[in-house]
Amino acid sequence: MKSDYVDLHCHSTASDGTLSPTEVARLAADCDLSALALTDHDTIAGVAEAAAAARELGIDFLPGIEISCEYPHPGTMHLLGYGVDVNSPVLTELTTTLVAGRDNRNPKIIARLQELNVSITMEEVENEAGGNVVGRPHIAAILLRKGYVKTTKDAFNKYLAPGGSAYFDKERLTARQAVGMVLESGGLPVLAHPVQLKTGNDAELDRVVKDLVDLGLAGIEVIHSDHDGALVAKYTALAGKYNLLTTGGSDFHGGNKHNIELGVANGRRIPRRFYDALMEKRSHAPAR
Ligand code: AMP
Ligand code: FE
Ligand code: FE
Ligand code: ZN
């Protein structure tokens, strides 16, 4: 019998996770999940491999991507795109733009670290990443290995996060661009982990979501490792108010986020019906 649980938010070595797409799919099977969505930052490079592994293992699979958007507040806005057509030219344009934003930023971080007498090169960082999406967690892993910091968190606090001594932001798409491109790629745009928006109050959160809904938002990630029960309830109510799908995932990154297990988000599992509803909505999307 199919398990009642899934995970719709996780990362592989194609971005800043530490398990390969095949290993993530295997772990999903070992955890008795019946469906998996891979949502690497800014790339679908891992999707084909994960899809093949999932098929082999008898798990349902949904291609996904996670995009960082411009957001003029202290928090961050991430958009998930589910069920994108991997052959869509718009998707290729999207991922090329996103990776270019990183390619502009990463050398600035490395140059600043060198000025701070940290021994690190862009080549080392690229080797650490092993692919086209080079993220701050790869830099953090090197700082950790070389003993400049004791934990990944320290690496972010001291150097890589806003306020850190080697922080640089990357160019981002606006929410309008990101939502539009996900839709044009045949995908469903979903607001990731709304707690990270750091909205000051519920009215502000409502306004941000309403604006996204006007752009074509399809869902809200209600279950996430950063959400406690009260937040899950709040975001579920908000999804109901705007007639949005609810989704959920662990945001598993393998060893880059040690405290997160695949299939479990802050003690909660993610119900299969979230996956089924995404599939249902996707099949009703207009053909493009
Ligand atoms: P980037 O995509 O290169 O901008 O890096 C963002 C990624 O770094 C996030 O998706 C997380 O995986 C990780 N990250 C961001 N902030 C922190 C933090 N304070 N501690 C640990 N990991 C973080
Ligand atoms: Fe990440
Ligand atoms: Fe995210
Ligand atoms: Zn994520």
Side-chain angles (χ1 to χ4, degrees), residues 11-194:
H11 297 262
S12 74
T13 47
S15 68
D16 58 0
T18 56
L19 300 191
S20 71
T22 300
E23 288 167 334
V24 174
R26 270 202 209 115
L27 184 59
D30 290 347
C31 298
D32 197 27
L33 304 182
S34 64
L36 178 74
L38 185 69
T39 54
D40 276 307
H41 299 286
D42 301 357
T43 186
I44 49 138
V47 158
E49 185 188 315
R55 199 177 312 118
E56 191 101 325
L57 293 157
I59 301 175
D60 293 321
F61 181 79
L62 187 62
I65 187 166
E66 183 175 20
I67 304 163
S68 313
C69 299
E70 250 176 48
Y71 183 62
H73 301 286
T76 54
M77 180 186 284
H78 289 179
L79 189 78
L80 296 160
Y82 286 116
V84 285
D85 169 6
V86 295
N87 297 313
S88 153
V90 176
L91 188 63
T92 308
E93 187 191 333
L94 174 65
T95 52
T96 308
T97 310
L98 295 170
V99 169
R102 291 174 178 275
D103 289 347
N104 284 333
R105 174 198 65 174
N106 292 329
K108 293 184 203 161
I109 300 178
I110 299 312
R112 177 61 53 81
L113 285 171
Q114 288 168 348
E115 282 166 22
L116 295 166
N117 291 319
V118 172
S119 157
I120 189 167
T121 64
M122 205 46 226
E123 198 187 345
E124 284 174 297
V125 178
E126 277 159 10
N127 286 340
E128 180 72 30
N132 57 356
V133 173
V134 180
R136 285 175 290 163
H138 301 120
I139 302 172
I142 294 172
L143 295 176
L144 188 62
R145 197 162 58 234
K146 292 192 170 182
Y148 290 104
V149 289
K150 290 211 169 59
T151 63
T152 308
K153 205 164 184 51
D154 287 345
F156 274 87
N157 289 341
K158 189 166 174 204
Y159 295 110
L160 302 171
S165 53
Y167 174 72
F168 290 91
D169 203 0
K170 54 186 183 282
E171 295 146 43
R172 293 157 192 267
L173 295 181
T174 62
R176 178 183 298 277
Q177 289 171 315
V179 169
M181 288 174 104
V182 168
L183 288 170
E184 281 180 61
S185 310
L188 296 169
V190 170
L191 175 63
H193 42 61

